[in-house]
Amino acid sequence: MPIETAEPIIQMRHVDKHYGQLHVLRDINLDVQKGEVVVLIGPSGSGKSTLCRTINRLETIDSGEILFEGKPLPQEGKELAALRAEIGMVFQSFNLFAHKTILDNVTMGPVEVLHRNRKDAEAEAMELLARVGVEAQAQKVPAQLSGGQQQRVAIARSLAMHPKAMLFDEPTSALDPEMINEVLEVMVELAQEGMTMVVVTHEMNFARRVSNRVVFMADGQIVEQNTPDEFFDHPQSARAKDFLDSIKGH
Amino acid sequence: MSANISMRDALYEAPGPKTQRRVRIGTAISLVLLVAFIAFVIRQFYINDQLNPKYWSFFARWTTWRFLLKGFIGTIKVAFAAGIIAMALGLLLMLGRISPNKVLSATCHVITDLFRSLPSLLLIYFFFLVIPKYGIRMPAFWMITVPVALAASGVLAEVFRAGVNAVPKGQVEAAMSLGMTHGKITRKIVLPQALRIVIPSLVSQLVVVVKDTTVAYVVSYPDLMQNARVLISNYDALVSMYFVVALIYIAINYATNQFSVYLAERSGTQVLSRVDENPV
């Protein structure tokens, strides 16, 4: 199901990045359309997480440019913070604020960044928590929740900011197998509602079922990209074929 | 207490029957040695006539205790004021040191290391002997409180910095991704967690502050130690007086430690983030 609108919300142009000697991103060119779900896959160390994190500038880049809604990413300060407020991010290790209750985790952004009044923020937070199925845990602290519950809270926390796009950096990689699906289900729902999503994942079923496009990376480069059916059934490059062979049976 | 037991469990495997027997024998031997030692101390006291009622009878007088109580209050006042100032200044020094502003950071680094490495007695002499020469006169209370606070602030700045460094990077990244600004992240996310992490080291440092106040005699400030010295010269009772004063200091610091245990339990270890960092 390719997106036809051709209204790019994220544009990456000739993006390069090094970690010392290591060339982690090599001449990355990638457009993400509004409402599109793009899945980044590739072997460990291929740069897919780094790419994902450059989009809200958690990682800086050496050269090239990244545009969000047609404007270059601000480099620092209030402008950068304002941009980040428009892009949701879900981390591998959840990163819920450990000293805050679940409810306070979800209201933190709306209250502190969007300056909404606490009552309204809490009402909406409870709705979001109900939507991801953890409203009963609202008064607990993160450490009292299972990994799957924590990750669903993290998604609710991002949604509370009404983001224009969401980044998922290996959202299920730190979860026990039985908790992966509860998180993926929430993500599937989001995708169906038309959220723009960039997802770094090893969940090939999710990629196949939900994404509009699969981007395969290796050694810091985008090796190939295609619709999920085409990519999984007819990979073009040797790297992609090897990768898909190596994960078969999972 | 449960923390100690789990720590021991983590470090040593459960003892088998042979080890248990050895532990029992060892316990018995050390008990015997302990009793022997106490008997020896009492005997030495007796031989040196330290058990003579004249060295102890003045403790029955209300005036003795009232004088000691005055000193005790003096000690508490200095320790409390110095502790508050040291914590505030330590926090500021740490915030300056971790600031992205290079000049501010370097300045705070130097000040921190300076206060940390200077003996507090030297700082006291500075405030007692040097500063008055330039016409600045302060009451004895401040001549002891300020240097003790400065000496402690350097160490506390490092304690706070260790706490800030111990807050997982993911906490800051999550706050940044929500669009929080640097100042807000520090106030709302980093400091609250860092402070919880450092409560135990913070309190042990405050115990050092209490001990530092004992050099108040240098500036003739009437703290517990100074008043004890006065009583010693009045009654010529060195050993008995220092014995009692030592017990009081132990009590103060024991209470401080219990307070830290209470604080640590109340803030709850479970609210500390223990998520492993595993970036790809």
Side-chain angles (χ1 to χ4, degrees):
Chain A
M1 36 179 173
I3 293 273
E4 305 292 351
T5 52
E7 190 186 338
I9 185 165
I10 301 164
Q11 293 162 281
M12 304 179 79
R13 300 264 175 273
H14 306 295
V15 170
D16 269 275
K17 181 180 176 69
H18 297 78
Y19 282 131
Q21 293 292 316
L22 190 66
H23 201 162
V24 277
L25 294 179
R26 295 169 192 255
D27 193 30
I28 299 289
N29 290 283
L30 181 70
D31 280 7
V32 178
Q33 310 299 322
K34 207 166 187 178
E36 194 180 19
V37 177
V38 173
V39 166
L40 298 177
I41 64 174
S44 167
S46 59
K48 53 197 193 300
S49 267
T50 308
L51 189 157
C52 182
R53 290 161 55 87
T54 58
I55 297 173
N56 66 350
R57 215 181 154 81
L58 284 184
E59 300 283 350
T60 55
I61 57 176
D62 298 341
S63 61
E65 67 174 350
I66 302 176
L67 310 177
F68 187 76
E69 292 190 311
K71 292 187 289 281
L73 296 190
Q75 313 246 324
E76 61 199 333
K78 286 210 162 67
E79 297 74 24
L80 177 58
L83 168 101
R84 284 174 173 155
E86 297 186 331
I87 304 177
M89 179 136 197
V90 175
F91 300 86
Q92 180 177 358
S93 46
F94 330 134
N95 296 346
L96 293 182
F97 303 130
H99 61 307
K100 293 285 181 189
T101 63
I102 297 307
L103 183 63
D104 287 345
N105 262 278
V106 181
T107 56
M108 178 71 79
V111 171
E112 296 296 337
V113 178
L114 306 178
H115 305 292
R116 296 189 44 198
N117 90 42
R118 182 168 292 278
K119 260 225 167 92
D120 296 347
E122 283 184 357
E124 195 191 344
M126 286 310 293
E127 278 170 30
L128 286 168
L129 288 173
R131 183 169 154 195
V132 299
V134 285
E135 74 274 29
Q137 325 289 333
Q139 298 307 327
K140 294 187 179 168
V141 293
Q144 294 171 297
L145 269 59
S146 74
Q149 288 173 327
Q150 290 192 52
Q151 196 61 301
R152 284 182 281 153
V153 173
I155 295 174
R157 174 173 69 177
S158 285
L159 290 176
M161 297 296 288
H162 300 285
K164 293 176 176 167
M166 285 185 75
L167 310 173
F168 292 82
D169 185 6
E170 303 208 24
T172 58
S173 299
L175 294 175
D176 291 338
E178 75 271 23
M179 295 172 184
I180 291 177
N181 278 333
E182 63 188 52
V183 171
L184 289 180
E185 273 163 30
V186 174
M187 291 169 59
V188 170
E189 253 179 59
L190 274 180
Q192 284 164 352
E193 286 165 16
M195 176 64 77
T196 308
M197 295 162 66
V198 175
V199 185
V200 177
T201 188
H202 297 288
E203 296 297 322
M204 297 305 150
N205 283 331
F206 173 85
R208 190 160 197 153
R209 204 152 54 97
V210 181
S211 73
N212 304 110
R213 182 156 44 120
V214 173
V215 174
F216 175 74
M217 288 184 71
D219 298 326
Q221 279 172 308
I222 293 179
V223 178
E224 68 176 277
Q225 43 181 317
N226 218 325
T227 60
D229 285 341
E230 272 302 306
F231 175 77
F232 286 113
D233 295 338
H234 310 289
Q236 305 294 313
S237 62
R239 295 292 313 248
K241 278 177 198 158
D242 284 352
F243 178 72
L244 288 174
D245 280 344
S246 73
I247 59 168
K248 254 187 198 139
H250 279 254
Chain B
M1 268 324 192
S2 61
N4 290 339
I5 287 164
S6 66
M7 174 76 82
R8 195 171 62 191
D9 289 348
L11 288 178
Y12 304 107
E13 58 179 342
K18 251 190 201 167
T19 316
Q20 280 179 352
R21 202 177 326 123
R22 235 179 283 145
V23 166
R24 273 197 298 273
I25 295 171
T27 309
I29 293 175
S30 34
L31 271 178
V32 169
L33 287 178
L34 186 66
V35 169
F37 177 72
I38 293 171
F40 171 76
V41 169
I42 293 174
R43 184 164 170 272
Q44 286 304 107
F45 267 55
Y46 180 75
I47 289 173
N48 294 306
D49 201 29
Q50 285 297 334
L51 295 180
N52 189 322
K54 76 169 181 183
Y55 293 127
W56 298 89
S57 58
F58 62 90
F59 283 115
R61 272 181 233 156
W62 165 235
T63 47
T64 306
W65 288 104
R66 196 176 56 190
F67 195 60
L68 278 180
L69 183 71
K70 266 191 191 159
F72 174 81
I73 291 171
T75 291
I76 296 294
K77 268 167 129 176
V78 172
F80 195 76
I84 299 282
I85 295 171
M87 280 197 279
L89 190 59
L91 200 60
L92 286 178
L93 283 173
M94 181 277 287
L95 287 174
R97 174 137 183 219
I98 64 171
S99 130
N101 180 331
K102 290 256 163 58
V103 178
L104 180 64
S105 169
T107 313
C108 289
H109 188 169
V110 170
I111 297 175
T112 303
D113 280 359
L114 191 71
F115 288 161
R116 215 153 57 94
S117 36
L118 285 175
S120 42
L121 191 56
L122 204 145
L123 284 168
I124 291 170
Y125 279 136
F126 179 77
F127 278 84
F128 181 49
L129 302 172
V130 180
I131 286 195
K133 285 204 168 146
Y134 298 92
I136 302 167
R137 305 234 161 261
M138 344 179 173
F141 175 79
W142 292 110
M143 281 198 288
I144 177 70
T145 301
V146 172
V148 166
L150 291 185
S153 70
V155 181
L156 288 182
E158 289 298 279
V159 168
F160 287 134
R161 199 163 66 93
V164 166
N165 287 340
V167 175
K169 201 164 141 246
Q171 297 282 307
V172 175
E173 288 187 348
M176 290 197 297
S177 76
L178 285 179
M180 291 171 76
T181 49
H182 179 76
K184 235 173 205 162
I185 295 172
T186 306
R187 280 199 313 279
K188 301 275 177 178
I189 307 296
V190 177
L191 283 186
Q193 295 194 52
L195 293 184
R196 279 184 175 87
I197 294 171
V198 301
I199 285 173
S201 354
L202 197 62
V203 171
S204 46
Q205 203 46 47
L206 291 181
V207 166
V208 174
V209 169
V210 172
K211 296 206 291 183
D212 269 359
T213 61
T214 52
V215 281
Y217 70 87
V218 173
V219 299
S220 309
Y221 178 77
D223 78 328
L224 181 57
M225 200 67 175
Q226 168 70 4
N227 284 8
R229 285 160 56 92
V230 172
L231 287 173
I232 286 169
S233 48
N234 282 358
Y235 294 105
D236 186 28
L238 186 81
V239 176
S240 60
M241 181 50 77
Y242 276 152
F243 182 74
V244 169
V245 167
L247 288 183
I248 297 174
Y249 275 111
I250 290 172
I252 295 175
N253 287 333
Y254 180 76
T256 315
N257 273 320
Q258 287 308 107
F259 181 63
S260 96
V261 172
Y262 160 79
L263 273 184
E265 270 168 14
R266 206 192 56 154
S267 66
T269 42
Q270 63 178 1
V271 300
L272 298 179
S273 35
R274 270 178 255 146
V275 186
D276 296 318
E277 292 292 306
N278 35 11
V280 174

